[in-house]
Amino acid sequence: MVSKSQVLSLCRSLLRTGRQYNDYNIRSYVKRRTLDGFRMNKSLTDPSKVNEAYAEGKAQLEVAERVLKVYLAYPPKTKNIMELKLQ
């Protein structure tokens, strides 16, 4: 069974990865998706379900890290309206 510290570490890793995105929309999406997923699964008690949810979270972390590498290599040329400074 997965320990509580492993689950918290996974949550922190997902949130940390999400903060590295330059785009406000992607940052907020990753944060919202991470917190919603962990809140949805916080009441799981069956060890097989917990392991399954943990494995899914690890897979999502790998996807987020892979997309981040591509996103940082090829950043968008236009800025989001949330990132523009008022002049």
Side-chain angles (χ1 to χ4, degrees):
M1 182 160 166
V2 179
S3 69
K4 183 177 180 177
S5 63
Q6 288 175 310
V7 172
L8 292 175
S9 175
L10 176 62
C11 183
R12 283 192 302 269
S13 295
L14 281 163
L15 291 173
R16 202 175 302 123
T17 301
R19 282 195 304 261
Q20 293 177 358
Y21 284 97
N22 294 329
D23 188 5
Y24 170 81
N25 290 328
I26 297 175
R27 277 194 314 265
S28 62
Y29 171 77
V30 171
K31 181 180 179 182
R32 185 178 64 245
R33 178 84 168 94
T34 300
L35 295 177
D36 288 348
F38 278 87
R39 285 183 189 131
M40 184 177 69
N41 292 323
K42 76 178 183 180
S43 63
L44 292 178
T45 55
D46 182 24
S48 64
K49 297 276 186 187
V50 172
N51 288 335
E52 183 179 319
Y54 182 77
E56 181 181 340
K58 288 292 271 188
Q60 291 297 322
L61 177 61
E62 290 174 9
V63 168
E65 288 173 342
R66 214 172 334 146
V67 170
L68 177 63
K69 288 177 185 174
V70 171
Y71 192 82
L72 292 176
Y74 303 102
K77 296 186 189 319
T78 60
K79 290 196 175 209
N80 187 332
I81 193 162
M82 298 295 287
E83 297 168 344
L84 293 175
K85 291 184 179 180
L86 294 175
Q87 295 179 6

